[in-house]
Amino acid sequence: MSHGVGASISFGDRIVKLLKEKRDIKPLLEWIKPQDFIPILERLPKDDRLSLVLSLNDDVIEKFLPKLPAEIVEEVMFGMDRNRFIRIVSNLPADELSDLVEKLSPINRKRLLWELPDWKLNEIKPLLSYPPDKVGGLMTNRIPVFFEEAEIWKVIREYVTRTKFDEYDTNNYAYAIDKNGKLKGLISIRELLTSPRKLKLKDVVQPPPVTIKPDADEEEAARIVASYDLLELPVVDDDGKLLGAVTVDDVVDVVISESTEDMVKFGGVEKITTPYIMASIFELTKKRVAWLIFLCLIEVIVAGVLSFYGKIISTIVALSFFIPLISSTGGNSGIQASIFIIRGLAVGEVSISDALRVLVKESLTSLFLSLLLSPLTFFLGFLIAKNIWVALTLSISLILIIFTVNIVGSLLPMLAAKVGIDPATISAPLIATIADLVGLLIYFTVATILLF
Amino acid sequence: MSHGVGASISFGDRIVKLLKEKRDIKPLLEWIKPQDFIPILERLPKDDRLSLVLSLNDDVIEKFLPKLPAEIVEEVMFGMDRNRFIRIVSNLPADELSDLVEKLSPINRKRLLWELPDWKLNEIKPLLSYPPDKVGGLMTNRIPVFFEEAEIWKVIREYVTRTKFDEYDTNNYAYAIDKNGKLKGLISIRELLTSPRKLKLKDVVQPPPVTIKPDADEEEAARIVASYDLLELPVVDDDGKLLGAVTVDDVVDVVISESTEDMVKFGGVEKITTPYIMASIFELTKKRVAWLIFLCLIEVIVAGVLSFYGKIISTIVALSFFIPLISSTGGNSGIQASIFIIRGLAVGEVSISDALRVLVKESLTSLFLSLLLSPLTFFLGFLIAKNIWVALTLSISLILIIFTVNIVGSLLPMLAAKVGIDPATISAPLIATIADLVGLLIYFTVATILLF
C-alpha cells in the first residue's frame, strides 16, 4: 500500500484553497467523486467543512458519511437540519449505519438511536449487540433467505420482488434454512436463476463451505474470506441458526485498517482514531508519551547498570565508543527476527506449535549472521579503538548478543500469542530496548572477563 | 490481522505427524478443507509433500494450487504425471493461472506455457503481458461483455448460456461496449435480469463510476476498490477500450500481501518469497545481513565520532552511562513519527503537499513530548550520575534530540514519496540508527558547551 497520493488529493487541495478564499466552488463540485470528499473535508477548518457538506446532495453525502472520522460525523450531525440528517442516515445499509453509530460518543449514539425511525432501528439493533470488532458487527442481515422446502419458481419470484424494493445488501448467494432457522445450504444467485423452476430449493443448494460465529474476531473472518476466496461468509450461532453474512467488500476495509493497525503497534504508538492530518497535538502526544516514558525508564535502568561498570569505562574509555554499535546491532537483529514471526502469526503461516522449529531456525540464522558480522566488527573496532582486546570484546559480544536477541525477538511474539496477547503489540522500540539491556550486560561481562 | 492460529493448523500438525509415521491418512483427508492443505504442505518434508498431493483429487488440488509457494508448485509440476498437471492447471481461472505462471522460474514458466493447450494459452496471454504487480496482471478478461445496441432479452439469453458453460469469472456486472470496444456502461446482473426485455442494453446501463488503466499499480486498484466500495473495477486502455475487470476478492489478496510487505520493510528485512516455516537458513540470512552490515557500518562511524570525544568521556565517565538512553529515546520517538506518516501515505490520509502541516504538527508534538520527558530525565539522571551538570546536559540534549529526530522521522518518508521511492522502505532500524548518530552528536556538543 504505497503511494496513496492520487491526483484526487491534489485536486482536493485546490478545492480547499478556493474554499478558504471564499470563492464559489459550486460548478466544481459535480466533478468530485463522493469518496474524494473525505480527504478534502479532513483538511478544511471546521466551519468551511460544515458549509461544504451542507451544500452537497443527499445521495452524495450518503456515499461518504459512513467513512468519515467520528468527529466530522458528529459535526455534521449537529450542524445539519435534524430531519435531513435522519433521512440520510436511514438510507444507509444496516451494516454501515451500525458502524457509524458505534463510532459516535456514547451520548451522541443514544441521541441518534432515539431519533431513528423504528423500522431502521429494528434493522440495525441485532448488529449493535455485538462489539464493533467482532463479526456480528460487520455482518449484514439483509440477505436473501428462503425456506428450504420452497419451490424454485416461488423463491425466484420473491427474490426479484424484494430486490426491486432494495431489501438486500448482498447479491451473491441465496440461503436455504429449515423451519428452525438453521442454515442448510446456499446457491449462487446466478445458478438459482437458471435452475429448473419446479425443483425445491433444498435440491439445488450446496452445504456452506465454511461458516463463522458472530463473536469471532473480524480479522478471523478476513483471513477465512481471503484464504477460501469467498464472496460471502455465512454467520451462524451455536445452534447453526443463520444470522447474516459477511461480504468480501466489508472485509477489504477490515484488512486495510487491521494491517495498518498492526504496523502502528509495531512502531510503538497507540492507534489514533482520527486521521493524522486532523489529529490534535494533544492526541498525538498522548498516543506516544506513555511508550516513550516506559522505554526511557528501562534505559535509566541501563544507565544504572553502566554506572556499575564506571570503573571499567574510566580505565578503558574505548569500550564506551561501541555502546551504540552494540545496542543498535542487537536491536536491529531482534526487530528483524520478531517481524518475521509477527507477520507469520498474522497471516497464519506460523502457529504457536512451531516454536521449536522457530528456535532452531533462529539459532542457525544467528550463527550465520554473527559469522559474517563478527570478523567485520573485529577489524573496524581495532581501527577505531587501536586495542586488540577491545576489538575482541566487541566481536565476541556481538556473537552472543545476536544469538540471544534473535531468540528473544522471535519467541516473544509467540509467547504473547500463547498467553492470548496480540503478538503485534510486541513493538520495534520494545525489542530494541530489551536488546539494549541484554546487549550491554553481555558486552561489559565479556569485557570484564577479557580485560581485567 | 492477529491470531492466525486456527484449529485447522493444529489439525494439520496431527496430519503431518501421522504422515511422518507413515500411517494411513486417507480416511482423514476428506475432513480437510482444500485451503487448509497449504500450511500442512509447507510443514512436510519434500517427499511426503509430493505423495500427499498426488493422493488428492484434482478438484481439491485445483483449489489450493495457485496459492502455494512457487517452490511447492514446481515440485508438484515435476512430480506429477504431466497430463494430469496440465489438466488441473487448464481448469484454473485465467487470472489465477497467470499469477501461478508468473511465480515460476523463467525456465519452468516457458515449459508450462509450451505445454498448455492453445485455448488456455490464448486466455492467459493478454494477462501475462503485464508485470505481475500491475492491474493488468490482476484482472480477469472472462467477464460478460455485450454490444450496447443489443436487446436485453438477447443479452440475457447469451449471458445465461455462457454462464452454463462457465465462461465468466465474475458475476456482478454486465458491460456494454460500442463497436470500437469502448466501455459505455455497466449494469448489475441482478438489475439486468429484471430489466424490461425489449429495451436495448444502452438504455439500462450506467456509466462506470471509476475505471483504471492496466499499467496502474495493484495497490492503486485496491485503494480505489476499498474507498469506493466496489465489487468490480473495469480496466480500460488509453482509448477507453474495455480490457477486463478487477474483482474485490482478488483485491483482498493484494491488500493482505502488500500490507504485511510494508510491515516487513519497516522491520528492516527484505521480503521472503517463501513462507517463514519453509524458508531456508540461507535465505533468511541473505534477507537480513545486508541491512545489518549497512547499519553496523553507520554505527562504526558513530564509534569514530565518540572516539573524538574520548577525552571528555574519560574526564566525566557518567556521560557514557546515558548513551543508550539518548540513542534509544531519539530512535523510539523517530520511529513513532515515521510510522504515522508511512501509514498516512499508504492509506491516502496524508499527501506530499501536507509537508508543511506535518512539520508544524511534529514540532508542536515534540515540544509537548520533551516538556514531559526532560524534567523526568533530569531528575533520574541526577540520581544516577550524582552530577547536576550531567543531568542538565541530559535533559537539554533530549529536548533538542526529540525535536530533530521527529522532524527527520516524519519528513524522510515524505521525501521518499516525493522522489518516487516507496515510503515504506524507511525502516525502523534506519530511523533508529540515524537517531543514534544525530542524538549522540547533539549530546556531546551540549556536554562540551556545558561542562568544559
Side-chain angles (χ1 to χ4, degrees):
Chain A
M1 302 293 305
S2 324
H3 0 263
V5 205
S8 58
I9 290 181
S10 51
F11 184 58
D13 277 341
R14 262 183 291 155
I15 300 283
V16 170
K17 212 173 149 219
L18 290 173
L19 271 168
K20 282 189 181 152
E21 293 165 0
K22 307 276 172 215
R23 304 254 296 272
D24 182 30
I25 57 152
K26 274 267 165 64
L28 276 175
L29 286 184
E30 64 183 287
W31 292 95
I32 306 178
K33 305 232 165 77
Q35 285 77 358
D36 291 335
F37 278 108
I38 297 170
I40 296 176
L41 290 171
E42 285 171 2
R43 281 166 178 73
L44 277 178
K46 204 175 154 174
D47 292 340
D48 294 347
R49 188 144 72 201
L50 192 59
S51 63
L52 174 56
V53 173
L54 293 181
S55 71
L56 299 172
N57 288 334
D58 285 10
D59 57 329
V60 175
I61 301 176
E62 237 174 68
K63 286 212 180 89
F64 65 74
L65 189 69
K67 298 206 170 203
L68 283 176
E71 286 175 31
I72 306 189
V73 173
E74 297 191 344
E75 280 171 29
V76 175
M77 183 171 164
F78 290 109
M80 187 182 272
D81 172 72
R82 294 310 278 173
N83 289 330
R84 186 177 175 203
F85 187 76
I86 295 297
R87 192 173 63 228
I88 292 175
V89 155
S90 303
N91 269 335
L92 294 174
D95 56 337
E96 288 187 10
L97 179 53
S98 74
D99 282 352
L100 186 143
V101 168
E102 271 152 356
K103 259 199 271 190
L104 300 176
S105 65
I107 182 132
N108 288 333
R109 192 180 310 158
K110 263 193 198 151
R111 269 192 72 168
L112 179 57
L113 289 179
W114 180 256
E115 290 178 304
L116 276 183
D118 279 348
W119 62 271
K120 197 69 195 181
L121 197 61
N122 290 337
E123 231 180 64
I124 69 163
K125 248 193 186 153
L127 306 180
L128 287 174
S129 52
Y130 300 102
D133 57 340
K134 300 295 178 191
V135 165
L138 188 69
M139 72 181 184
T140 171
N141 47 11
R142 294 171 19 115
I143 57 174
V145 181
F146 305 96
F147 182 43
E148 57 173 344
E149 300 284 350
E151 283 159 299
I152 300 288
W153 70 268
K154 277 190 182 160
V155 170
I156 293 180
R157 201 183 53 184
E158 195 179 331
Y159 172 76
V160 171
T161 315
R162 287 180 181 266
T163 296
K164 276 188 188 146
F165 286 101
D166 207 19
E167 284 193 24
Y168 302 131
D169 285 341
T170 67
N171 65 351
N172 300 304
Y173 302 109
Y175 296 89
I177 53 170
D178 67 10
K179 60 184 186 314
N180 300 316
K182 266 194 194 175
L183 174 62
K184 302 305 278 188
L186 47 84
I187 180 171
S188 78
I189 296 294
R190 225 166 27 152
E191 282 175 65
L192 174 71
L193 294 172
T194 54
S195 292
R197 309 271 150 153
K198 280 182 185 164
L199 290 180
K200 287 185 172 172
L201 189 55
K202 67 175 180 183
D203 302 325
V204 295
V205 294
Q206 300 251 313
V210 56
T211 59
I212 196 164
K213 300 275 159 68
D215 55 356
D217 275 345
E218 283 186 348
E219 300 111 87
E220 183 64 17
R223 212 175 60 85
I224 293 177
V225 167
S227 76
Y228 286 80
D229 273 340
L230 298 175
L231 296 171
E232 262 175 61
L233 174 57
V235 182
V236 297
D237 69 8
D238 289 333
D239 303 326
K241 231 176 103 177
L242 180 65
L243 301 174
V246 173
T247 55
V248 66
D249 49 313
D250 293 331
V251 160
V252 174
D253 295 335
V254 171
V255 172
I256 289 184
S257 77
E258 287 297 327
S259 60
T260 62
E261 199 178 298
D262 274 9
M263 217 177 144
V264 165
K265 281 185 205 154
F266 189 65
V269 276
E270 288 169 57
K271 195 183 158 196
I272 47 172
T273 45
T274 35
Y276 176 83
I277 284 297
M278 272 190 69
S280 70
I281 309 296
F282 177 70
E283 186 181 4
L284 289 178
T285 307
K286 216 182 73 180
K287 298 293 177 181
R288 294 169 64 170
V289 76
W291 258 112
L292 283 183
I293 289 181
F294 170 70
L295 297 169
C296 198
L297 289 178
I298 299 184
E299 293 297 346
V300 171
I301 298 173
V302 174
V305 170
L306 287 181
S307 75
F308 184 76
Y309 294 104
K311 212 158 188 175
I312 297 177
I313 298 174
S314 66
T315 320
I316 306 171
V317 174
L319 279 175
S320 71
F321 304 160
F322 302 102
I323 291 179
L325 188 148
I326 284 293
S327 63
S328 118
T329 308
N332 293 342
S333 188
I335 290 174
Q336 289 182 330
S338 60
I339 198 75
F340 281 133
I341 305 301
I342 293 173
R343 185 191 164 278
L345 287 167
V347 183
E349 277 174 15
V350 175
S351 80
I352 302 179
S353 55
D354 290 318
L356 196 67
R357 217 183 293 239
V358 168
L359 198 69
V360 173
K361 246 179 214 302
E362 285 305 314
S363 304
L364 289 172
T365 309
S366 302
L367 188 70
F368 275 43
L369 288 174
S370 49
L371 284 181
L372 290 161
L373 282 171
S374 179
L376 180 78
T377 48
F378 178 84
F379 174 70
L380 293 170
F382 183 73
L383 269 184
I384 287 169
K386 296 176 182 76
N387 179 329
I388 197 155
W389 292 102
V390 169
L392 203 59
T393 302
L394 187 61
S395 58
I396 291 177
S397 319
L398 216 56
I399 298 176
L400 297 173
I401 288 169
I402 289 179
F403 195 83
T404 318
V405 163
N406 281 343
I407 301 294
V408 173
S410 55
L411 291 193
L412 215 54
M414 304 201 84
L415 191 70
K418 179 91 185 168
V419 298
I421 301 172
D422 184 347
T425 51
I426 307 297
S427 70
L430 179 67
I431 298 279
T433 307
I434 293 174
D436 265 12
L437 189 58
V438 174
L440 292 171
L441 273 173
I442 292 177
Y443 182 55
F444 280 100
T445 306
V446 172
T448 314
I449 294 168
L450 282 187
L451 295 160
F452 295 91
Chain B
M1 303 295 302
S2 326
H3 358 261
V5 203
S8 58
I9 292 181
S10 53
F11 184 61
D13 278 342
R14 262 183 292 154
I15 301 283
V16 170
K17 211 172 148 219
L18 290 174
L19 273 167
K20 284 191 180 148
E21 292 166 359
K22 305 276 173 218
R23 304 254 296 272
D24 182 28
I25 58 151
K26 274 267 163 66
L28 276 175
L29 286 184
E30 62 183 289
W31 291 96
I32 306 179
K33 306 234 164 74
Q35 286 78 355
D36 292 335
F37 278 108
I38 297 169
I40 295 176
L41 291 171
E42 286 170 3
R43 282 166 178 74
L44 277 176
K46 204 174 153 170
D47 293 340
D48 294 346
R49 189 144 70 201
L50 191 59
S51 63
L52 173 56
V53 174
L54 293 182
S55 71
L56 298 172
N57 288 335
D58 285 10
D59 58 329
V60 174
I61 300 176
E62 238 173 68
K63 290 220 177 82
F64 64 75
L65 189 69
K67 299 207 168 203
L68 283 176
E71 287 177 28
I72 304 188
V73 174
E74 296 192 345
E75 278 169 33
V76 174
M77 180 172 166
F78 290 109
M80 187 184 271
D81 171 72
R82 294 309 278 174
N83 288 332
R84 186 180 174 200
F85 186 76
I86 295 299
R87 191 173 64 229
I88 291 176
V89 155
S90 302
N91 270 333
L92 292 176
D95 57 336
E96 288 186 11
L97 179 54
S98 73
D99 281 352
L100 185 142
V101 168
E102 270 151 358
K103 256 196 276 191
L104 300 176
S105 64
I107 182 136
N108 288 333
R109 192 180 311 160
K110 261 195 198 148
R111 270 191 71 168
L112 179 57
L113 290 178
W114 179 257
E115 291 179 301
L116 275 184
D118 280 347
W119 63 271
K120 195 70 194 178
L121 196 59
N122 290 336
E123 229 181 66
I124 70 162
K125 245 188 188 156
L127 306 181
L128 286 176
S129 53
Y130 300 102
D133 57 341
K134 300 294 179 195
V135 165
L138 188 69
M139 72 181 186
T140 172
N141 46 11
R142 298 176 12 120
I143 56 175
V145 181
F146 305 96
F147 183 42
E148 57 175 344
E149 300 285 349
E151 283 160 297
I152 300 288
W153 70 269
K154 275 188 185 162
V155 170
I156 294 179
R157 200 184 54 183
E158 195 179 332
Y159 172 77
V160 171
T161 316
R162 286 181 182 265
T163 296
K164 276 188 188 143
F165 286 102
D166 206 19
E167 285 194 22
Y168 302 130
D169 285 342
T170 68
N171 64 351
N172 300 304
Y173 302 109
Y175 296 89
I177 53 171
D178 68 10
K179 59 185 188 308
N180 300 317
K182 266 195 196 172
L183 174 62
K184 302 305 278 185
L186 47 83
I187 180 171
S188 79
I189 296 294
R190 230 172 16 156
E191 282 174 63
L192 174 72
L193 294 172
T194 55
S195 292
R197 310 273 149 149
K198 280 182 184 165
L199 289 180
K200 287 183 171 175
L201 190 55
K202 67 174 180 185
D203 302 326
V204 295
V205 294
Q206 301 253 311
V210 56
T211 59
I212 196 164
K213 300 275 160 66
D215 54 356
D217 274 346
E218 282 186 348
E219 300 112 87
E220 184 63 16
R223 212 177 60 84
I224 294 177
V225 167
S227 76
Y228 286 79
D229 272 341
L230 298 174
L231 295 171
E232 264 177 59
L233 175 58
V235 183
V236 297
D237 69 10
D238 289 333
D239 303 325
K241 230 177 104 177
L242 181 65
L243 301 175
V246 174
T247 54
V248 65
D249 49 312
D250 293 330
V251 160
V252 174
D253 294 337
V254 172
V255 172
I256 289 186
S257 76
E258 287 297 327
S259 60
T260 61
E261 200 179 295
D262 275 7
M263 215 177 145
V264 165
K265 280 186 205 152
F266 189 65
V269 277
E270 289 170 58
K271 194 184 159 194
I272 45 172
T273 44
T274 36
Y276 177 83
I277 284 298
M278 271 188 71
S280 69
I281 308 296
F282 177 69
E283 186 180 5
L284 288 178
T285 307
K286 215 182 73 181
K287 296 294 176 180
R288 295 170 61 171
V289 77
W291 257 113
L292 281 185
I293 288 181
F294 170 69
L295 297 171
C296 199
L297 289 178
I298 299 185
E299 292 297 346
V300 171
I301 299 173
V302 174
V305 170
L306 286 182
S307 76
F308 183 75
Y309 293 105
K311 210 158 190 174
I312 296 178
I313 298 175
S314 68
T315 321
I316 306 173
V317 175
L319 278 176
S320 69
F321 304 161
F322 302 102
I323 292 179
L325 188 148
I326 284 293
S327 63
S328 118
T329 308
N332 294 341
S333 189
I335 290 175
Q336 289 181 331
S338 59
I339 198 76
F340 281 132
I341 305 302
I342 293 173
R343 185 190 165 279
L345 287 167
V347 181
E349 277 175 13
V350 176
S351 80
I352 301 179
S353 54
D354 290 320
L356 196 68
R357 216 182 290 241
V358 168
L359 199 68
V360 173
K361 247 180 214 297
E362 285 303 315
S363 306
L364 289 173
T365 308
S366 302
L367 188 70
F368 275 42
L369 287 174
S370 48
L371 283 182
L372 290 162
L373 282 172
S374 180
L376 180 78
T377 48
F378 177 83
F379 174 71
L380 294 169
F382 182 73
L383 268 184
I384 288 169
K386 296 178 183 72
N387 179 329
I388 198 156
W389 292 102
V390 170
L392 204 59
T393 303
L394 187 62
S395 57
I396 291 178
S397 320
L398 215 56
I399 299 176
L400 297 172
I401 289 169
I402 288 180
F403 195 84
T404 318
V405 163
N406 282 343
I407 302 294
V408 173
S410 55
L411 292 192
L412 214 56
M414 304 201 85
L415 190 72
K418 179 90 187 168
V419 300
I421 301 171
D422 184 348
T425 50
I426 309 297
S427 69
L430 179 67
I431 297 279
T433 306
I434 293 174
D436 264 12
L437 190 57
V438 174
L440 291 170
L441 272 173
I442 292 177
Y443 181 56
F444 280 100
T445 308
V446 173
T448 314
I449 295 169
L450 281 187
L451 295 162
F452 296 94

